[in-house]
Amino acid sequence: MAAPPSHLIAIYPGSFDPITNGHLDLIARGSRVVERLIVAVLRNDSKQALFSVEERMEIVREVVRPYSNVEVGSFDGLLVDYAAERGANLILRGIRAISDYEYELQMALMNRRLRPELETAFLMAGEAYSFLSSHLVKEVVSLGGDVSGLVPPMVEARLKKRFGHHANTTRTS
Ligand code: PNS
């Protein structure tokens, strides 16, 4: 049996369009249990993104600044190939509710099939963020709602700017 690696280097992959306080909560938890944590922004996403990959990376870089063992990268192609390239031995993902489990299980098992030596670990997001998603945050801001406390202040400002200040005053009749 192979000896366990003494150093955990984790990849935390996602779209991060944009990063939320739920993601940040997971980064904070992850940074306490691994030696190095690489937040990896997906490049070749089929979903139409609000922020470019460069913008998302810039935002993530800014908000993870307090964590000395967290860095930011981006990838396209297979996550397991990027993990190998970066010398990571762990994929980190968050689970908010049981509804996340099926999709996460599928991905974890596919990644294991592709690269058996790479483990996936799940951390539970703080309960305050169990309903939170980037998708909902974008929808709320686009309709003029308040997302303070759900995303870092700089993300809130960027979202408001992207959707325009008068998002909440638009009327169709
Ligand atoms: O934040 P998201 O959008 O739920 O993240 C999804 C992500 C980036 C983890 C997933 O789409 C991914 O790993 N994509 C890379 C392509 C890949 O490796 N696919 C095969 C394994 S499931």
Side-chain angles (χ1 to χ4, degrees):
M1 206 166 82
S6 51
H7 301 296
L8 286 177
I9 301 173
I11 296 270
Y12 177 36
S15 310
F16 303 108
D17 183 41
I19 192 165
T20 68
N21 284 350
H23 295 127
L24 262 183
D25 174 74
L26 210 90
I27 290 168
R29 289 171 200 281
S31 73
R32 290 195 290 268
V33 295
V34 302
E35 185 177 313
R36 275 174 59 214
L37 180 58
I38 303 160
V39 181
V41 179
L42 178 67
R43 278 191 175 272
N44 58 345
D45 204 342
S46 53
K47 289 175 262 177
Q48 186 63 45
L50 180 65
F51 294 103
S52 71
V53 172
E54 279 62 37
E55 287 174 310
R56 282 180 266 162
M57 288 177 71
E58 183 195 326
I59 293 170
V60 177
R61 230 177 251 123
E62 182 65 32
V63 297
V64 302
R65 208 188 285 271
Y67 306 98
S68 58
N69 62 342
V70 178
E71 56 203 85
V72 184
S74 70
F75 73 106
D76 47 30
L78 286 175
L79 172 63
V80 293
D81 290 344
Y82 180 67
E85 197 183 296
R86 297 298 307 263
N89 45 21
L90 194 70
I91 296 170
L92 209 60
R93 289 285 287 173
I95 293 215
R96 290 166 298 190
I98 194 74
S99 49
D100 282 340
Y101 180 74
E102 209 164 324
Y103 170 59
E104 293 298 334
L105 179 68
Q106 280 179 0
M107 282 204 298
L109 293 181
M110 180 59 82
N111 285 331
R112 180 187 282 168
R113 186 175 185 280
L114 292 168
R115 200 173 281 272
E117 64 276 22
L118 189 62
E119 285 296 343
T120 298
F122 296 108
L123 294 180
M124 308 309 137
E127 68 268 23
Y129 307 115
S130 59
F131 63 94
L132 186 55
S133 71
S134 300
H135 171 75
L136 277 186
V137 162
K138 284 182 281 193
E139 184 169 311
V140 169
V141 177
S142 75
L143 298 171
D146 177 24
V147 293
S148 53
L150 301 179
V151 292
M154 78 163 297
V155 173
E156 193 184 346
R158 292 263 193 143
L159 280 165
K160 282 184 176 159
K161 196 169 168 201
R162 185 66 37 113
F163 284 114
H165 292 298
H166 45 81
N168 59 346
T169 58
T170 307
R171 294 283 181 271
T172 52
S173 63

